[in-house]
DNA sequence: ACGCATACTTACCTTTTTGTTAGTACTTAA
DNA sequence: TTAAGTACTAACAAAAAGGTAAGTATGCGT
């Protein structure tokens, strides 16, 4: 839970209001969101599929990050009234609109990593 | 200080190895780095200038994030042997190479924020 | 009656990030 | 001799993020 009156929370809020990039980081940042987003760019997936696709996520974290993505309107959660239950996650239009940004970050990250490796190897 | 053997640290490390985007987030993420980077895109700045330009940063945080940016090779720190001391921070070539990515994130963030406002007003 | 499968939820704990406060070194100007 | 300016550093505290383990609901097959 968040403390609304901490300096920490106030600093975050004021930056989110003033800086689009910080805002973007808030929406797509976090330990597991990049991986989730890249998975969903391939197409819709069920909860357990995601869990198997993403090595290392705990259930708590996976659910939490999916919920945040949903709150921010990037992901749609479709529940089918079946037993055993079936829940599919897919990107919304807004979710798909992040693709160029994600690609940009991914490319930059990969380039930068390669540079580091080259330096390390020399 | 980091615990190298925590699950937390291991998860982070393995994601950084496999996902360029997570890697990029690691380099440009954090509460104050977006603001610092945008400030330095305008040109070199002294420590106190940065501090005055960025409302709300504590000295500890400003120094910490500048050091991380330096470690990752995005920022160069120039110390002039004068009294009172003068230290100038500027982006390296690698730092400047982040500009398209930063712009992309900033644009997406601003667009997304506007959408939320429109929804809130309706 | 019992276990299985799915998609979670809950309580609790550890790790990491961020913030607060006070202090350092050096020289010049009043 | 004392304060001011610059660019920090260190010790400590609070908040947020992340991880662990156990439990929930439902209906089907055996």
């Amino acid at each position: 839970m968040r403390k609304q009156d901490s300096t920490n929370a106030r600093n975050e809020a004021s930056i989110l209001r003033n800086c689009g990039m910080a805002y973007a980081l808030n929406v797509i940042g976090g330990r597991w969101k990049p991986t989730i987003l890249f998975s969903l760019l391939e197409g819709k997936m069920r909860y357990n599929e995601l869990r198997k696709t993403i090595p290392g996520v705990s259930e708590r974290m996976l659910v939490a990050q999916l919920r945040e993505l949903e709150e921010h309107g990037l992901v749609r959660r479709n529940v089918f009234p079946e037993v055993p239950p079936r829940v599919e996650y897919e990107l919304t239009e807004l979710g798909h609109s992040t693709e160029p940004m994600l690609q940009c970050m991914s490319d930059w990250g990969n380039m930068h990593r390669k540079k580091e490796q080259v330096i390390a190897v020399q």
Side-chain angles (χ1 to χ4, degrees), chain A residues 13-26:
Chain A
S14 92
I15 284 182
L16 292 182
R17 269 195 302 282
N18 294 311
C19 175
M21 183 182 152
Y23 194 86
L25 282 175
N26 186 244

Side-chain angles (χ1 to χ4, degrees), chain A residues 113-122:
Chain A
R113 262 192 307 175
K114 272 186 204 125
K115 262 194 190 165
E116 274 204 350
Q117 285 179 350
V118 170
I119 291 164
V121 167
Q122 278 172 346

Side-chain angles (χ1 to χ4, degrees), chain A residues 28 32-33 47 52 60 66-67 70 84 88 97 100 119:
Chain A
I28 60 168
W32 303 102
K33 279 184 200 156
Y47 174 80
K52 282 166 200 159
R60 193 176 102 67
L66 283 169
R67 291 282 183 282
E70 204 190 343
E88 283 178 357
S97 80
I119 291 164

Side-chain angles (χ1 to χ4, degrees), chain A residues 13 20 50 61 84:
Chain A
L50 279 168
M61 276 298 112

Side-chain angles (χ1 to χ4, degrees), chain A residues 37-95:
Chain A
L37 289 169
F38 278 117
S39 299
L40 292 179
L41 277 172
E42 313 276 313
K44 59 176 65 166
M45 290 183 96
R46 295 181 62 174
Y47 174 80
N48 263 356
E49 281 183 283
L50 279 168
R51 205 158 61 82
K52 282 166 200 159
T53 304
I54 302 171
V57 227
S58 66
E59 312 234 8
R60 193 176 102 67
M61 276 298 112
L62 181 54
V63 172
Q65 308 240 24
L66 283 169
R67 291 282 183 282
E68 281 182 38
L69 289 169
E70 204 190 343
E71 268 175 44
H72 285 116
L74 272 69
V75 161
R76 192 169 17 249
R77 179 169 172 267
N78 294 315
V79 183
F80 297 85
E82 304 172 0
V83 170
R86 181 156 64 103
V87 179
E88 283 178 357
Y89 291 92
E90 62 179 331
L91 294 185
T92 61
E93 205 186 323
L94 186 66

